[in-house]
Amino acid sequence: MKQFAKRLYLALIFILLYAPIITLIVLSFNSSKTRSKWGGFTLKWYHSLLENEAIMSAFYTTLVIALLSALAATLIGTAACIGLQAMRKRTRNILLSISNIPMVNAEIVTAVSLMLIFIAVRMTMGFRTILIAHITFNIPYVILSVMPKLRQTKRSAYEAALDLGASPLYAFYRITLPDIMPGVLSGFLLAFTMSLDDFVITHFTKGPGIDTLSTKIYSEVRKGIKPEIYALSTLLFVSVLLLLILVNYQPETEKKTSEEGQVKVYSRAAKIRDTIIRRAVPAIMILVVAAGGIYYSSNGAMNTDNTVIVYNWGEYLDPAVLDLFTEETGIKVIYEEFETNEIMYPKISSGAIAYDVVVPSDYMIQRMIENDMLAEINFDNIPNIKQIGEVYMEESRQFDPENKYSVPYVWGTVGILYNKTMVEEPIDSWSVLWDERYADSILMQDSVRDAFAVALKSLGYSLNSSDLDELTAAKNLLIEQKPLVQAYVVDQVRDKMIGNEAAIGVIYSGEAIYTQRENPDLEYVIPKEGSNVWIDSLVIPKNAQHKENAEKFIDFLCRPDIAYMNFDYITYSTPNTGARELIEDEDIRNSRIAFPTDEMLEGCETYSFLGDETDRTYNELWNQVKSS
């Protein structure tokens, strides 16, 4: 019985450890995009992964940065150890304590500090800043590995070599270096591993067009995990497993008797297998990695003067549009994504990253105009502006009074998406989000303005309220709701609702159209209390380095066939009259989700920028909600 209990305990541990990995591997072969159903066996996600230049480039960028930063940190750290060893004990201890601070400190403190330094010296964020940050972060770990070995060396041997006529450099190379080499190698491997695994340092110091595997996977997960990520994770797991097998492999031996007793003798077959496993397989893996790195780096090579750097919401543009633009103009597009306006704004306001085209929402555009962050658009370079409906240009004057800084891109509403099979009656009010019958089955938007809009409208207030009493009441209502909320999400609400993981979710109208295609049990409604009607527009930051290219890109997006491609891909309502005429599906063309009637929009409002002080109040109250 005792033996059975031990085996059961061990089995449970292995299940807990490896069940998620096995699930991930199985999902990488699932032809369905959703986790909730099996669509049959397929290898298409592996094929798609190899064709995904963004993910593969991130993978090779990770390897290059890890290798270069580990080499530089090892050289600098080893030299620092030699210098420290020559100092007085008290001075050495003080400097060693200082060098240990990055390891003792929270990693995010180091990351933000480095970011602020780069901003202060006006260094443009990019590959260079990531590399410098990784080197800085890794040096203490090299010192930690090398210093103990250096203390174990006998200085007398080094001095004896000098007495015999050796130069200091030759004596170090022949006497000291062999003694400390295990520590140097250990420091290099530690630095390489720390760099390879890093996310926080990279996240705060990277620029547009540069991603490591950790930041790329993070951005993908924020939008909803794609099957390609399952395939990539499976390949990484198999690679690590293969390396472990190679490291621990022991060739077969035969025991033979000699004059000295029994000795182990390798058979010829064992020697061949040993050569294949220990040399041929690693060599093939290195060649594959090197060849892939050369291929993806050559494909990613670009003329930095002939580019346009775009910062857009996740899943907010058909990737084929970027390829078409490059084919027609020769201009390479560097494309980055953000999750909320509040994440986007600090990156633009810092000036450390020079984006050429950004897609903020209405109230954020107003804020950026008031803070002199946007460049006036030369509409002579955008003849397709005539395709934007006059009603949308008129609506845009609420946040861009003279239509000088923005071009409407998409628009829509915020509403409730619910599963008809999981709720007891049709929904028409925000009040259902406080219904205890749906506890742990409600999804809320992880966005301060959207969350407060729901609460303010529920209380009968304007979603642009700046009254502290009204905002406090909305905060209290959100805190009251929190125990019922399954998760605060952004793009993930789409996948969760498709997979029947929740009954009710606050969602944007364009996402609702997509979810209904995947799950016919889902229904979208604009609550009777009113909601938000929003416009996301194309703008050019004042520090844009490629303004003419930005205007060409905006004009390209305003072309009816391109605007229709984007509408068909992202399913958000288009303000482009020419694109709407190209919609062949009558159900979509007349969709009340994509194109609601005036009666449905009664009581709806557009967000306004309420001032920096009120904006801080919103954020403080939202933090209280999230931390309660």
Side-chain angles (χ1 to χ4, degrees), residues 103-300:
M103 294 186 291
V104 178
N105 240 343
E107 196 171 333
I108 192 170
V109 175
T110 304
V112 172
S113 301
L114 289 167
M115 180 189 69
L116 293 175
I117 291 172
F118 295 141
I119 292 173
V121 299
R122 300 189 178 279
M123 185 179 289
T124 303
M125 299 289 188
F127 183 90
R128 180 176 53 172
T129 53
I130 296 176
L131 185 59
I132 293 172
H134 277 235
I135 292 171
T136 305
F137 178 66
N138 284 333
I139 287 173
Y141 292 96
V142 175
I143 293 174
L144 186 68
S145 298
V146 175
M147 202 66 192
K149 286 293 180 183
L150 196 60
R151 285 173 174 169
Q152 292 173 9
T153 60
K154 294 182 179 180
R155 185 170 179 81
S156 56
Y158 173 78
E159 291 175 347
L162 294 179
D163 292 339
L164 293 172
S167 66
L169 184 62
Y170 184 81
F172 170 77
Y173 178 74
R174 299 294 293 182
I175 303 297
T176 307
L177 187 59
D179 286 343
I180 66 171
M181 185 55 71
V184 173
L185 291 175
S186 176
F188 171 80
L189 292 173
L190 184 58
F192 182 81
T193 304
M194 294 296 295
S195 179
L196 202 66
D197 190 50
D198 171 73
F199 165 74
V200 177
I201 300 290
T202 307
H203 178 72
F204 282 93
T205 58
K206 80 182 192 73
I210 300 294
D211 261 313
T212 61
L213 208 52
S214 59
T215 59
K216 186 63 182 174
I217 290 175
Y218 172 77
S219 65
E220 293 295 329
V221 169
R222 290 282 294 178
K223 296 180 294 182
I225 303 176
K226 292 181 179 179
E228 289 90 339
I229 300 299
Y230 298 138
L232 175 63
S233 301
T234 300
L235 290 176
L236 290 173
F237 173 74
V238 171
S239 298
V240 171
L241 184 63
L242 183 59
L243 288 172
L244 286 173
I245 292 172
L246 294 177
V247 168
N248 292 282
Y249 170 76
Q250 293 293 334
E252 294 179 6
T253 60
E254 296 177 1
K255 291 185 178 180
K256 291 190 176 182
T257 304
S258 66
E259 293 180 0
E260 299 177 357
Q262 284 192 336
V263 295
K264 292 181 179 180
V265 179
Y266 294 100
S267 66
R268 185 174 180 183
K271 287 181 180 179
I272 294 173
R273 284 196 298 272
D274 185 49
T275 301
I276 292 173
I277 293 174
R278 287 185 175 271
R279 298 183 182 181
V281 173
I284 291 170
M285 293 177 69
I286 292 170
L287 285 174
V288 169
V289 171
I294 293 169
Y295 172 77
Y296 287 106
S297 62
S298 63
N299 278 359

Side-chain angles (χ1 to χ4, degrees), residues 509-515 517 566-573 594:
S509 53
E511 298 281 10
I513 295 175
Y514 173 82
T515 58
R517 290 176 179 175
N566 279 329
F567 170 76
D568 189 56
Y569 182 82
I570 65 176
T571 63
Y572 281 95
S573 308

Side-chain angles (χ1 to χ4, degrees), residues 409-413 509-510 513 534 567 571-575 593-596:
Y409 176 57
V410 293
W411 69 281
T413 59
S509 53
I513 295 175
W534 48 265
F567 170 76
T571 63
Y572 281 95
S573 308
T574 176
I593 298 177
F595 306 105

Side-chain angles (χ1 to χ4, degrees), residues 45-73:
W45 305 125
Y46 290 88
H47 184 262
S48 178
L49 171 66
L50 296 175
E51 289 185 338
N52 191 320
E53 287 190 19
I55 293 178
M56 297 307 294
S57 294
F59 173 62
Y60 287 106
T61 299
T62 303
L63 291 179
V64 170
I65 288 176
L67 182 61
L68 292 179
S69 64
L71 284 171

Side-chain angles (χ1 to χ4, degrees), residues 30 322-323 351 513 623:
N30 181 16
L322 302 180
D323 296 331
I513 295 175
N623 287 334

Side-chain angles (χ1 to χ4, degrees), residues 582-601:
L582 294 174
I583 301 173
E584 296 180 356
D585 189 328
E586 288 292 330
D587 291 337
I588 295 296
R589 184 189 294 179
N590 300 317
S591 168
R592 289 295 172 254
I593 298 177
F595 306 105
T597 63
D598 292 341
E599 184 181 350
M600 294 171 67
L601 296 177

